[in-house]
Amino acid sequence: MGLNRESAHLNGRGALIAVGAGLNLSTYGLGVWGENVLLSSGAFVGPALATLAETYLLFAALGLFAALILRIAIAACTGQSNRFYLVCGLGPMIVAAVLFGSGLWNASGLLVALAAFCTGWSFACQSLFWMSALSFEPGQMRTVFPLELLVAAVVNIVFVAGFLNLQAIFLGAGIALSAAASVLLLHGDAQRERPAVAAPSRALQSRYLPGFRQLAEVLFCVVALQTIAPTLNYMGLSGALPPEQQQLAIIAAKMAAAVALVAILHWSRAPLYSVQVFKVVTPVLILLLFAVPFASAGYLFALLVGGSCLHFIVTNSLFCIDAVAIARRRGLVFELFYGTGYFALMAFCSVLEKVMPTLLAASSSMELLLVFGVFFCVYALSMAFVAVRRRRRDSGGDGAENTTAPASPSSSEPTVTTDAERVAAVQAHCGLSDREAEIVLLMMHGRNVPAIAEELVISQNTVRTHVKRIYRACGVHSRQELIARCETEDSQGHSDGSPAKSPSNPS
């Protein structure tokens, strides 16, 4: 009975996170992002203040980055995620909700700037809050992230159905409801103490620097996809559409992203989802873009939806999932780790919003084709970067933990001195995938199936399927035999035949 009650609580907690994060995602599209129905309509700031649209965008970006910096600093000082969240965020959330809900926000240029700053601040604080809250329960990610996208799509449907002419009021209500959901979550978590993690000053060299190097691989692929996927947005197609069609494209993209995300999390075996998605979909997307100068309006609209779908999948979901996996594996403060990466991602996106429209304002088809050729070069460089990173990681040069004594200098044969190197040798000899090698390493460190599933953010059934494949490939029949196989492996992929004592299988 206790287990059932705990599961019900976790399910309810995950649903609350999905609703709050979905509402927050919608406020980003309505109140922060430049190409949206609010800022493309003179009704947003009123005819007298229409020239302040750029001011609004500037202060929204300032609020977003200021909040990210503050939250990262707090996480670094306290060694915990979501500390002092309400102190930092609740005030600006209330101010933004009141200004938009009352209609006073556009009474003067000063209030426009204040409302924009508080909206950007609110979005940043809540983004880190919801992702950090979800990082405490990584097993729910495969459910929460698709549900978050569906909630955001439903919010857009409600907006189109009844609030298209009441944009500011709808935005204020969204901020208020998301803030209320975060307060409810904090109230429910009041009795659930979160352990502190080693602060960066005490773990910078051993855990944070290797963690950030691994996150760089993810971030590199995400920003490259962010350069390519929303191309039609940068070309101004979204802003040229009527408000109803803008929202239709966003709704379709969010729903498609939810379905695609379920498939990715269920079928992908890659250790880093963002990198795998980038490798698979980017060449296809670039080929589709080459037809843009000659395509019909329907083709452009479909590609706009597809690019937005990839944006929601990678930026809002897989980037966080990969960051959670890296942070948990290395024992990092998630808000500090994820917030730093998210800051870099948002900074890059802000630069793209300024640079890409100018770059894509080509006057001829040949110029556009040249730009898309540059995209292909971006993809090739990204893949080269990933290959170099993987080669360094496989050779043990990326912060792998040394778990055994160093080999004697007098040894004439090449030896393996770390579990990671042993697993890499077994992987090469037995033809294991990267995900299977990762599972073998965790098994050597004493993890059982539930622990591996939680750490890698996959289901227990998926772990068991991988384990069966590993046993077949390695010619073993149990965990003990597998560990013994790895511990007697040399760097050439051969077993020395000596028996090895295996650790006990934890319950």
Side-chain angles (χ1 to χ4, degrees):
M1 293 295 292
L3 179 62
N4 290 335
R5 285 196 298 270
E6 177 67 4
S7 298
H9 171 70
L10 293 178
N11 289 334
R13 186 175 185 274
L16 187 59
I17 293 173
V19 171
L23 287 166
N24 190 51
L25 179 60
S26 294
T27 64
Y28 175 68
L30 293 174
V32 181
W33 184 33
E35 290 291 340
N36 60 67
V37 66
L38 291 177
L39 296 181
S40 63
S41 170
F44 179 58
V45 293
L49 298 175
T51 57
L52 292 178
E54 289 297 323
T55 301
Y56 179 92
L57 291 176
L58 172 64
F59 278 90
L62 290 176
L64 185 148
F65 288 115
L68 288 177
I69 291 172
L70 179 61
R71 292 305 310 168
I72 292 169
I74 291 175
C77 292
T78 63
Q80 289 185 328
S81 298
N82 287 345
R83 287 296 303 273
F84 310 119
Y85 159 73
L86 292 180
V87 174
C88 294
L90 194 57
M93 294 173 200
I94 293 174
V95 170
V98 170
L99 287 176
F100 284 118
S102 65
L104 295 175
W105 72 279
N106 61 353
S108 68
L110 179 61
L111 290 180
V112 168
L114 177 62
F117 185 87
C118 289
T119 301
W121 183 289
S122 301
F123 170 76
C125 278
Q126 291 202 50
S127 292
L128 295 189
F129 172 81
W130 292 118
M131 296 306 99
S132 296
L134 188 56
S135 73
F136 297 141
E137 308 289 350
Q140 295 194 70
M141 287 187 176
R142 63 178 55 252
T143 302
V144 170
F145 275 112
L147 183 58
E148 172 198 351
L149 291 169
L150 289 177
V151 169
V154 170
V155 170
N156 283 105
I157 292 173
V158 174
F159 176 59
V160 173
F163 294 90
L164 199 58
N165 295 321
L166 301 170
Q167 303 101 321
I169 294 176
F170 190 82
L171 174 59
I175 294 173
L177 289 173
S178 185
S182 67
V183 173
L184 285 176
L185 187 70
L186 285 175
H187 178 72
D189 284 351
Q191 304 303 320
R192 305 178 67 192
E193 189 67 24
R194 300 296 178 186
V197 183
S201 59
R202 298 189 295 274
L204 182 63
Q205 185 65 33
S206 62
R207 294 207 296 270
Y208 277 87
L209 290 183
F212 280 121
R213 284 197 292 268
Q214 191 171 7
L215 184 66
E217 180 179 335
V218 175
L219 186 62
F220 198 86
C221 290
V222 171
V223 298
L225 190 55
Q226 278 294 95
T227 303
I228 299 170
T231 302
L232 297 186
N233 280 336
Y234 299 137
M235 294 175 68
L237 178 61
S238 178
L241 294 174
E244 293 82 358
Q245 291 189 26
Q246 286 187 43
Q247 293 303 303
L248 178 62
I250 293 171
I251 291 167
K254 288 177 178 176
M255 289 185 169
V259 174
L261 189 60
V262 171
I264 291 169
L265 296 178
H266 181 75
W267 295 108
S268 177
R269 297 184 178 183
L272 296 174
Y273 291 108
S274 301
V275 177
Q276 183 68 15
V277 169
F278 175 77
K279 287 166 59 177
V280 172
V281 305
T282 304
V284 177
L285 182 59
I286 293 175
L287 290 175
L288 294 174
L289 285 174
F290 274 108
V292 164
F294 322 103
S296 64
Y299 181 90
L300 295 179
F301 185 81
L303 201 54
L304 174 65
V305 173
S308 299
C309 172
L310 287 174
H311 165 81
F312 289 124
I313 290 174
V314 176
T315 304
N316 297 301
S317 303
L318 297 185
F319 178 65
C320 180
I321 291 173
D322 290 338
V324 168
I326 297 171
R328 289 180 66 85
R329 191 175 303 124
R330 298 185 178 273
L332 311 180
V333 180
F334 177 75
E335 187 174 12
L336 167 62
F337 182 67
Y338 174 74
T340 303
Y342 195 67
F343 181 94
L345 179 60
M346 289 292 100
F348 185 84
C349 290
S350 297
V351 172
L352 285 181
E353 287 287 336
K354 296 296 183 182
V355 174
M356 290 299 290
T358 302
L359 181 64
L360 292 171
S363 57
S364 70
S365 299
M366 291 304 300
E367 290 175 350
L368 277 178
L369 292 176
L370 178 62
V371 171
F372 299 149
V374 172
F375 286 168
F376 182 80
C377 293
V378 170
Y379 171 75
L381 290 173
S382 302
M383 287 299 94
F385 176 81
V386 171
V388 171
R389 294 278 305 138
R390 182 157 298 168
R391 187 158 51 247
R392 288 184 57 193
R393 185 169 64 249
D394 290 345
S395 65
D398 198 28
E401 296 180 1
N402 191 338
T403 57
T404 60
S408 169
S410 62
S411 173
S412 60
E413 294 295 326
T415 58
V416 177
T417 59
T418 67
D419 286 347
E421 290 172 342
R422 290 189 176 93
V423 171
V426 171
Q427 179 184 11
H429 186 241
C430 300
L432 302 180
S433 67
D434 289 342
R435 175 65 90 190
E436 289 162 353
E438 194 170 14
I439 290 174
V440 172
L441 184 59
L442 291 174
M443 293 172 72
M444 291 189 69
H445 292 169
R447 305 292 202 280
N448 58 10
V449 168
I452 294 173
E454 181 177 359
E455 186 155 344
L456 298 184
V457 199
I458 58 179
S459 70
Q460 294 186 28
N461 286 335
T462 301
V463 175
R464 294 187 183 97
T465 300
H466 283 308
V467 170
K468 291 178 182 178
R469 163 77 175 88
I470 291 167
Y471 286 172
R472 287 197 301 270
C474 296
V476 299
H477 303 87
S478 68
R479 173 193 290 262
Q480 286 76 18
E481 290 182 15
L482 176 64
I483 295 174
R485 170 75 169 80
C486 293
E487 289 183 342
T488 57
E489 186 79 12
D490 65 31
S491 61
Q492 301 302 315
H494 304 295
S495 175
D496 63 12
S498 60
K501 183 180 180 181
S502 301
S504 60
N505 184 8
S507 58

